[in-house]
């Protein structure tokens, strides 16, 4: 796995300068979404579906924007670190409540919390209300790349962070706590009888998923250079669930592949039919459920 991830990063870094600006933008946004879905992978393996992951995605984006707006900090790594840390802190507090629930109760409660944040941001004029606000251009270790190299610098930075995150999650899944996920999904009572705390395991996975979503939100903010309350809306969480179903949960690289496929379908559908692009996404999801119920990775695994 280490060599595969490293190889993908090297190829992306080498090919990046020859990619058009729009392709680098799509790939960077796909990496940001992939980080969020990588966190969802941990929850889905426990049998938990979070309909409010946009909560931490938005927290990460606004944390990155606040650094530039109020402190003048625009370093991309500092923004991602702040976004992940703030999201993890909020998740640590909320996790004491959410770790108690399972099934539809977990999903709807996470959705409610996300919509609460959306309502607060809409009414906060200091953060731009419904319009949001722009953030400063990204810098890299205090240096600002030239106009033609900004997207490439952000893409390489995003790929590096995504590679490290994928490897760390892969390593976590090999630990005893990480291996508890399928057991919790199949029979939580038996897990408790064996002496492990299912609630503690869910809490830890919830915090990790939130941190990844915060990093993804900060990365998306630095890429688009604009943040708005819609990032916490339920439709954003729906996109992440869509990508998770599209990718499957069989491998830590699947979320990034699914996010890239989603971005390509979304862009092509919107370009060909701006008023009915949702129909193309819905049709893609239906075909996937029929022919690849375990996601794109199931086909690769079969090969």
């Amino acid at each position: 796995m280490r060599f595969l991830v490293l190889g993908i990063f090297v190829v992306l870094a080498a090919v990046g300068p020859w990619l058009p600006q729009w392709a680098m933008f799509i790939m960077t946004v796909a990496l940001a979404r992939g980080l969020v879905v990588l966190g969802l992978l941990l929850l889905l393996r426990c049998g938990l579906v979070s309909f409010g992951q946009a909560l931490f995605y938005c927290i990460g984006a606004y944390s990155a924007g606040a650094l530039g707006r109020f402190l003048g900090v625009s370093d991309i790594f500092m923004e991602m670190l702040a976004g992940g840390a703030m999201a993890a802190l909020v998740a640590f507090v909320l996790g004491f409540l959410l770790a108690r629930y399972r099934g539809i109760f977990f999903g709807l409660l996470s959705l409610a919390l996300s919509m609460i944040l959306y309502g607060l941001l809409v009414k906060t004029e200091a953060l731009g209300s419904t319009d949001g606000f722009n953030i400063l251009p990204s810098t890299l270790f205090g240096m600002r790349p030239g106009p033609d190299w900004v997207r490439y610098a952000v893409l390489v930075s995003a790929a590096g962070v995504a590679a490290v995150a994928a490897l760390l999650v892969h390593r976590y899944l090999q630990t005893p706590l990480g291996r508890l996920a399928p057991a919790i999904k199949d029979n939580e009572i038996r897990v408790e009888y064996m002496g492990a705390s299912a609630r503690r395991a869910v809490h830890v996975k919830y915090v990790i998923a939130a941190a990844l979503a915060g990093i993804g939100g900060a990365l998306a903010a630095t890429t688009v250079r604009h943040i708005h309350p819609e990032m916490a809306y339920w439709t954003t969480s729906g996109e992440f669930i869509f990508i998770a179903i599209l990718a499957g949960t069989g491998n830590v690289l699947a979320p990034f592949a699914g996010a890239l496929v989603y971005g390509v379908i979304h862009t092509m559908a919107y370009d060909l039919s701006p008023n009915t692009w949702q129909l193309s996404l819905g049709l893609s999801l239906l075909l996937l459920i029929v022919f690849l119920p375990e996601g794109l990775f199931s086909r690769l695994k079969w090969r």
Side-chain angles (χ1 to χ4, degrees):
M1 177 60 68
R2 294 196 304 270
F3 297 107
L4 178 59
V5 172
L6 181 61
I8 294 174
F9 173 76
V10 171
V11 170
L12 186 60
V15 176
W18 284 272
L19 293 175
Q21 294 286 322
W22 61 267
M24 287 191 282
F25 177 81
I26 291 176
M27 294 181 70
T28 307
V29 173
L31 289 171
R33 289 171 173 161
L35 285 167
V36 183
V37 180
L38 181 62
L40 277 176
L41 179 146
L42 298 176
L43 297 176
L44 288 172
R45 287 194 171 195
C46 285
L48 301 172
V49 181
S50 173
F51 295 118
Q53 209 65 10
L55 167 68
F56 306 110
Y57 182 73
C58 186
I59 288 175
Y62 272 83
S63 298
L67 279 181
R69 187 179 180 92
F70 301 112
L71 301 177
V73 178
S74 59
D75 184 82
I76 184 171
F77 291 108
M78 289 295 296
E79 290 175 336
M80 286 191 283
L81 179 62
M86 186 59 67
L89 178 61
V90 174
F92 177 75
V93 177
L94 297 179
F96 290 104
L97 172 65
L98 284 170
R100 299 171 178 268
Y101 295 91
R102 302 290 183 270
I104 192 63
F105 302 103
F106 179 90
L108 291 182
L109 187 57
S110 63
L111 174 61
L113 293 172
S114 178
M115 293 306 296
I116 289 173
L117 176 63
Y118 170 77
L120 292 174
L121 292 175
V122 165
K123 297 181 181 299
T124 306
E125 295 184 1
L127 296 177
S129 187
T130 56
D131 296 328
F133 60 90
N134 295 328
I135 67 174
L136 296 175
S138 300
T139 60
L140 191 61
F141 301 115
M143 298 180 293
R144 193 180 306 280
D148 297 333
W149 292 91
V150 171
R151 290 213 184 279
Y152 174 71
V154 174
L155 174 62
V156 173
S157 302
V161 171
V164 172
L167 291 175
L168 289 177
V169 171
H170 177 72
R171 180 68 185 89
Y172 168 76
L173 291 174
Q174 308 305 316
T175 64
L177 189 61
R179 291 179 182 273
L180 274 180
I184 294 173
K185 180 179 180 180
D186 293 339
N187 196 324
E188 183 175 337
I189 295 178
R190 182 171 294 179
V191 171
E192 297 285 350
Y193 281 158
M194 293 176 63
S197 173
R199 184 181 299 178
R200 175 176 173 268
V202 170
H203 195 168
V204 171
K205 296 178 191 302
Y206 185 70
V207 173
I208 295 175
L212 292 171
I215 295 172
L219 177 58
T222 59
T223 304
V224 181
R225 290 186 55 196
H226 182 80
I227 53 180
H228 50 85
E230 293 292 328
M231 300 181 79
Y233 202 56
W234 68 268
T235 52
T236 305
S237 295
E239 289 183 359
F240 299 141
I241 295 296
F242 184 103
I243 296 171
I245 297 174
L246 179 67
T249 61
N251 190 279
V252 294
L253 295 179
F256 301 101
L260 183 59
V261 172
Y262 173 85
V264 172
I265 295 175
H266 186 182
T267 302
M268 293 180 63
Y270 191 84
D271 183 56
L272 296 175
S273 180
N275 297 322
T276 59
W277 64 269
Q278 296 96 333
L279 181 63
S280 301
L281 288 178
L283 181 61
S284 302
L285 182 60
L286 288 175
L287 292 174
L288 176 70
I289 292 174
V290 173
F291 295 105
L292 293 173
E294 296 183 6
L296 294 173
F297 179 76
S298 63
R299 185 64 177 176
L300 296 175
K301 187 177 181 180
W302 180 82
R303 289 278 183 187

